[in-house]
């Protein structure tokens, strides 16, 4: 793929007699991230570029000539977005919305349209591009491994209308049926559980310790302290003992999607209520 920026970085690294690993250690980055930048697959953040300049003694060249990025993501999410692209395993918990990498275009557009003050159509179009770019990590049939825990509220709360919801739920089913992701629903009947307070993303990497990312309204935080990450992993593992198994989760997703597809029939038996699991499975 390559790029002028990446090629120049590689030339400076080699001129300094450094391997990618040695540069990564000096710049406090991952070796894979260095490789992606040199190959033109990634653009470093401003902080990454500053550390690279310092490690290579190149003044502020790498900082000053960063390629233009038109990536419309919240400032607090930018680091998490970069880590997400490097992860070999991702475990998500979604409390209110389907996780970003699992969203359809229509669903993503609806979510991004919920901002206040309302975004213009042009701004919404701009924001949806990086959301869909993030989802391309699923084009690789193997990496990253993705587990998704969905609170039942994610299925029941309409985002963008019934047609968009039906499309989104069918998309999740297809991803799971293909074996690309594991998806489990945390049913309302479960009551309180250790992940109920917020959304959570856990990430593992080839060449650095695992990290976590939590997010709330207009805020997000990367957790890299080993004790904190381990605590969040334990919470997730504990929660994994309680959701519906894959087969039952997919059955509930399908049934809920059918309910949205029957939204023009007010008395449709599947619309607007939580069905018993046995009833859902019986109809499959």
């Amino acid at each position: 793929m390559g790029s002028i920026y990446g090629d120049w970085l590689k030339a400076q690294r080699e001129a300094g007699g450094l391997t990618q690993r040695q540069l990564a250690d000096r710049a406090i980055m991952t070796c894979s991230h260095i490789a992606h930048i040199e190959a033109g697959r990634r653009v470093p953040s401003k902080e990454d570029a500053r550390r690279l300049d310092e490690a290579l003694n190149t003044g502020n060249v790498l900082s000053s000539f960063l390629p233009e990025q038109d990536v419309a993501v919240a400032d607090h999410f930018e680091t998490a977005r970069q880590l997400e692209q490097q992860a070999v395993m991702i475990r998500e918990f979604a409390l209110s919305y389907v996780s970003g990498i699992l969203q359809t275009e229509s669903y993503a557009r609806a979510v991004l349209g919920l901002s206040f003050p309302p975004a213009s159509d042009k701004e919404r179009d701009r924001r949806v591009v990086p959301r869909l770019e993030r989802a391309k990590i699923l084009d690789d049939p193997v990496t990253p491994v993705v587990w998704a825990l969905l609170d039942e509220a994610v299925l029941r709360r309409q985002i963008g209308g019934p047609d968009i919801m039906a499309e989104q739920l069918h998309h999740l089913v297809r991803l799971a049926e293909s074996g690309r992701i594991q998806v489990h629903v945390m049913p309302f009947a479960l009551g309180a559980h250790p992940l109920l307070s917020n959304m959570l993303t856990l990430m593992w990497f080839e060449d650095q310790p695992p990290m976590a990312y939590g997010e709330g309204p207009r805020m997000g935080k990367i957790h890299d302290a080993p004790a904190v990450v381990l605590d969040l992993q334990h919470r997730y593992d504990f929660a994994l003992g309680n959701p519906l198994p894959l087969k039952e989760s997919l059955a509930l997703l399908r049934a809920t999607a059918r309910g949205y597809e029957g939204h023009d029939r007010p008395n449709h038996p599947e619309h607007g209520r939580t069905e018993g699991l046995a009833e859902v499975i019986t109809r499959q």
Side-chain angles (χ1 to χ4, degrees):
M1 186 174 176
S3 69
I4 295 175
Y5 189 91
D7 290 343
W8 194 85
L9 171 61
K10 181 179 180 181
Q12 295 304 304
R13 174 180 61 78
E14 292 177 342
L18 299 175
T19 65
Q20 289 181 342
R21 164 58 64 194
Q22 289 169 328
L23 177 57
D25 290 342
R26 285 192 182 186
I28 318 176
M29 297 168 64
T30 69
C31 187
S32 60
H33 194 36
I34 297 290
H36 285 312
I37 295 171
E38 290 187 354
R41 293 188 294 267
R42 304 266 162 72
V43 174
S45 67
K46 291 181 180 179
E47 177 59 20
D48 287 341
R50 184 193 67 76
R51 291 201 301 269
L52 287 169
D53 272 329
E54 186 175 295
L56 292 168
N57 196 28
T58 49
N60 65 347
V61 175
L62 288 163
S63 300
S64 299
F65 294 97
L66 273 172
E68 291 294 326
Q69 295 188 83
D70 187 22
V71 179
V73 298
D75 290 342
H76 63 256
F77 182 68
E78 176 56 26
T79 301
R81 182 184 71 86
Q82 293 179 27
L83 291 170
E84 183 182 70
Q85 298 297 307
Q86 301 170 48
V88 296
M89 177 183 290
I90 297 174
R91 291 189 174 186
E92 300 267 16
F93 169 66
L95 179 62
S96 301
Y97 308 118
V98 172
S99 304
I101 60 173
L102 304 177
Q103 293 178 6
T104 64
E105 180 175 353
S106 296
Y107 186 93
R109 195 177 298 278
V111 170
L112 293 169
L114 297 175
S115 62
F116 185 84
S120 65
D121 289 343
K122 181 178 180 180
E123 178 63 17
R124 195 184 312 182
D125 289 343
R126 192 175 75 91
R127 292 178 183 176
V128 81
V129 172
R131 182 76 49 105
L132 299 179
E133 286 294 317
R134 289 172 54 204
K136 289 183 178 180
I137 62 175
L138 297 177
D139 292 346
D140 186 309
V142 177
T143 304
V145 175
V146 176
W147 287 57
L149 277 179
L150 308 177
D151 193 272
E152 189 174 344
V154 174
L155 282 61
R156 302 297 179 183
R157 181 175 290 109
Q158 283 196 38
I159 304 295
D163 293 335
I164 288 175
M165 288 298 300
E167 178 190 37
Q168 176 64 71
L169 297 184
H170 283 310
H171 177 64
L172 292 173
V173 170
R174 285 192 296 271
L175 286 172
E177 287 181 333
S178 72
R180 186 61 188 83
I181 70 170
Q182 287 281 313
V183 60
H184 299 276
V185 177
M186 304 285 280
F188 286 142
L190 177 63
H193 56 79
L195 298 177
L196 192 57
S197 61
N198 221 328
M199 64 79 65
L200 174 67
T201 300
L202 300 172
M203 293 172 281
W204 285 260
F205 308 89
E206 287 182 348
D207 52 7
Q208 65 177 318
M211 296 189 187
Y213 174 74
E215 186 174 274
R218 299 187 68 83
M219 65 182 69
K221 181 174 177 59
I222 292 287
H223 299 282
D224 57 4
V228 175
V229 174
L230 186 61
D231 175 71
L232 293 172
Q233 289 173 347
H234 286 165
R235 289 171 179 262
Y236 197 99
D237 290 342
F238 184 80
L240 275 177
N242 295 302
L244 301 178
L246 177 61
K247 180 178 178 181
E248 285 83 351
S249 293
L250 295 184
L252 183 57
L253 285 165
R254 292 189 197 97
T256 308
R258 286 200 301 268
Y260 285 119
E261 290 168 338
H263 67 91
D264 56 339
R265 290 171 282 165
N267 296 321
H268 193 283
E270 294 172 344
H271 184 58
R273 66 184 180 92
T274 303
E275 300 176 277
L277 181 59
E279 179 183 352
V280 171
I281 296 174
T282 300
R283 289 207 313 273
Q284 300 309 302

